[in-house]
Amino acid sequence: MAAAEENSSLFLIFILTMIALPLVPYTITRLCHAATKKAKTIHCRCSGCHRSGKYRKSIYKKISNFSTWSNLTILLLWIVVIFLIYYIKLSSREVQVFEPYSILGLEPGASESEIKKSYRRLSIQYHPDKNPDPEAHTYFVESISKAYQALTDPISRENYEKYGHPDGRQGFQMGIALPKFLLNMDGASGGIMLLGIVGLCILFPLMIAVIYLSRSSKYTGNYVMHQTLSTYYYFMKPSLAPSKVMDVFIKAAEYMEMPVRRSDDEPLQKLFVAVRSELNLDLKNIRTEQAKFWKQHPSLVKAHLTRESFALTPALVKDYRHMLELAPRLLEELVKIALLPRSPNGFGWLRPAIGVVELSQSIIQAVPLSARKAGGGNSEGIAPFLQLPHFTEATVKKIARKKIRAFQELCDMSEVERATLLTQVAGLSEEEARDVELVLEMIPTVEVDIKCETEGEEGIQEGDVVTMYAWVSLQRRSGLTAALPHAPFYPFHREENFWLLLADTASNEVWLSQKISFMDEATAITAASKAIQDTQEALGASPKEIGIAVREAVDRVKKGSRLVMGKFQAPSEGNHNLTSFCLCDAWIGCDSKTSFKLKVLKRSRAGTRTYVPEEGPVAEDGIEEEEEEEEEEYDDYESEYSEDEEEEKKGKGKVANGAAHQRASSDIDSGSDD
């Protein structure tokens, strides 16, 4: 019985040890990280973002931030640890060594007469006939009598003096760290143990596998349905106009599964009329078009773009928020679909990729696509202005009278001149002008340094594996590198990302593409260090040279730059006019673009090189690309990156295989306007 209780106690100690070993160092690490983490405001501080409530640190939000799965798991494990410690302390009894001489109050080696004298003295004090206290009775029976017997019996006394125990030599006893009921293998206990082994070793892993396979068969790693990717792949065309990207975007299976309720007819009818100008409708079949768009819920997205979502019912508000929550990852997958290598040369398509990024900008900033139409001497339209707080079309017209037609012209003004323009010309109050200033401080300015070369060789020849090195640098007037965009109409937290595209605009082909984030500096430092180290080692650099190059790369990352590297196979001999785009998926008007010339020489080195690009997502079965693309004419806005043939012929700003220094596209546009 005692052995079984000891085994149960050992099992609890074993469980406590297994929990505490990883829990204690992990908790210490988390606490140290939380103590050293600098509290820095990286979100917009304008009144519009404040009213949205996304960044308000209420008690509920603080509890929500703490109530992550990781924190709750740590808290639960510590509760279990405290309970186990308390239970083990209660259930475990201290092992007391039997000392008969000490119990009788004698020195070791006392004579028999001294033992009897001490026993008679203690009997008078603790004998049940002399002391009615139950504890005295227990002490007399279990301690005094047992000690007297051990010392008066010759054999017991000899065993005690020789082995330390009245019963003689004691064997070494070991316990098993298992619960008591599992040690009784007879009857139902054996079946319980068998069921536990089967459940833990067979049924539980099988259940996890079934859940994983059932989910993976429906969703991708980015939580997008496979059916959505199949649909996007089918409708993606190389000549897809930017304004037609919306029609492809809303065909996602996640949106098609949203219910269509009869109770929504009246509010949808009002909403349809409000956003009708933004819909590409066949006016001859207006009823059919209206029913089709209701079924696909595009009017909710259009309502967001026109900021007309105030009249929605609670059910439609839920649908509206669900659509906006899914939009970022759906748009990211749509960009990847556009960049899949499907051209004869194995490149992606430029025009639809730019259109998807521009749609992402419009959704985050709640700016209608029609606002991108060029006009009034501004190639990018009034969309960049409408992302600023308190700006409307009327405000843009007012400042245009003072020759401020391009967004970059407004950004380049001094703070005093801008405040005067906004308060005296645009009619904004001082508080509203201050909001505009806060947002302008958050808008990023992007610069890109690109260099293309063949590692270890001079010049680029046909068939070489060309390596592109691009340092993308970001600056803000606020001094922040990582920041959340100003998006008062988007109800969720949204991080800004950038897409770097190296493309041939003449053939509509994207040679290289990479998504860039400025939020995680530690990851960027690790990636840049490894890339520079691998490159230098391949070139045979010394350890000292490698260390210097790595330190320089780390310094650039800490100052707000990110390293992007990519490889492609050099095309045929000649001068190839390429353009690099750095597109932000959250801000309008802060993208950058430049042109440079890639000079490829005739093959003179021995041997040929082959570069096999990494495999992209595989198209769904049963989907084939149409051999002939229908040429469509769209009466809508053109992307601000639509190329002008004459500008291409002039070849302004092109650098042959060198470092092409790239600034904001608005600078280029404003320069061309002058």
Side-chain angles (χ1 to χ4, degrees), residues 82 123 158 237 667:
I82 295 173
S123 297
E158 182 182 358
K237 308 298 179 186
D667 294 340

Side-chain angles (χ1 to χ4, degrees), residues 130-354:
K130 303 294 183 180
N131 191 343
D133 188 0
E135 293 183 359
H137 176 265
T138 302
Y139 181 70
F140 179 80
V141 173
E142 295 183 356
S143 299
I144 298 175
S145 297
K146 187 176 179 181
Y148 175 74
Q149 182 181 1
L151 296 179
T152 55
D153 183 68
I155 298 176
S156 298
R157 183 169 183 173
E158 182 182 358
N159 288 335
Y160 172 74
E161 292 177 350
K162 186 180 293 187
Y163 303 111
H165 197 279
D167 297 333
R169 187 190 299 274
Q170 300 295 304
F172 182 73
Q173 185 178 4
M174 299 180 65
I176 302 175
L178 288 176
K180 176 182 175 181
F181 70 91
L182 290 180
L183 299 176
N184 301 325
M185 297 303 296
D186 56 334
S189 298
I192 293 175
M193 188 172 184
L194 179 62
L195 289 177
I197 294 175
V198 172
L200 184 63
C201 300
I202 300 177
L203 296 181
F204 182 72
L206 184 62
M207 181 181 65
I208 297 298
V210 170
I211 294 175
Y212 173 77
L213 292 176
S214 62
R215 196 200 175 288
S216 61
S217 63
K218 188 176 181 181
Y219 290 92
T220 65
N222 199 21
Y223 302 100
V224 176
M225 296 176 66
H226 287 289
Q227 184 180 352
T228 299
L229 297 185
S230 175
T231 303
Y232 284 171
Y233 186 90
Y234 179 79
F235 286 100
M236 182 61 62
K237 308 298 179 186
S239 59
L240 189 66
S243 62
K244 296 297 182 180
V245 173
M246 171 68 80
D247 297 339
V248 178
F249 166 68
I250 61 176
K251 296 183 185 298
E254 289 85 348
Y255 292 164
M256 294 298 182
E257 290 181 351
M258 295 172 64
V260 179
R261 296 169 288 267
R262 292 186 178 181
S263 59
D264 297 334
D265 288 351
E266 183 176 352
L268 277 178
Q269 175 64 34
K270 296 179 180 179
L271 190 61
F272 183 82
V273 174
V275 302
R276 185 172 176 177
S277 60
E278 290 294 321
L279 302 176
N280 299 315
L281 299 178
D282 182 6
L283 299 180
K284 297 180 180 179
N285 301 313
I286 188 65
R287 293 184 178 274
T288 304
E289 290 288 321
Q290 181 174 342
K292 181 179 67 173
F293 277 110
W294 280 7
K295 185 177 180 180
Q296 297 175 354
H297 286 78
S299 47
L300 294 181
V301 179
K302 297 291 186 177
H304 175 69
L305 298 181
T306 54
R307 306 176 184 179
E308 296 285 349
S309 59
F310 56 88
L312 299 178
T313 62
L316 284 177
V317 168
K318 184 178 180 181
D319 293 343
Y320 165 76
R321 291 179 60 88
H322 181 61
M323 294 190 73
L324 294 182
E325 185 178 12
L326 295 177
R329 59 174 177 261
L330 291 178
L331 289 168
E332 181 178 346
E333 293 300 322
L334 193 54
V335 172
K336 294 178 181 178
I337 293 293
L339 297 175
L340 279 177
R342 292 191 288 186
S343 68
N345 297 324
F347 299 135
W349 295 327
L350 175 63
R351 192 183 190 200
I354 292 177

Side-chain angles (χ1 to χ4, degrees), residues 66 80 139 199 375 456 526 579:
F66 174 78
V80 172
Y139 181 70
T526 303
T579 305

Side-chain angles (χ1 to χ4, degrees), residues 1 23 75 128 210 259 295 314 368 438 472 475 481 493 535 543 562 567 606 609 657 668:
M1 184 71 179
L23 181 61
L75 180 62
V210 170
K295 185 177 180 180
L438 290 174
V472 183
Q475 293 181 346
T481 299
H493 284 256
T535 302
R562 297 293 183 266
K567 297 179 182 294
R609 305 183 180 204
N657 298 354
I668 300 173

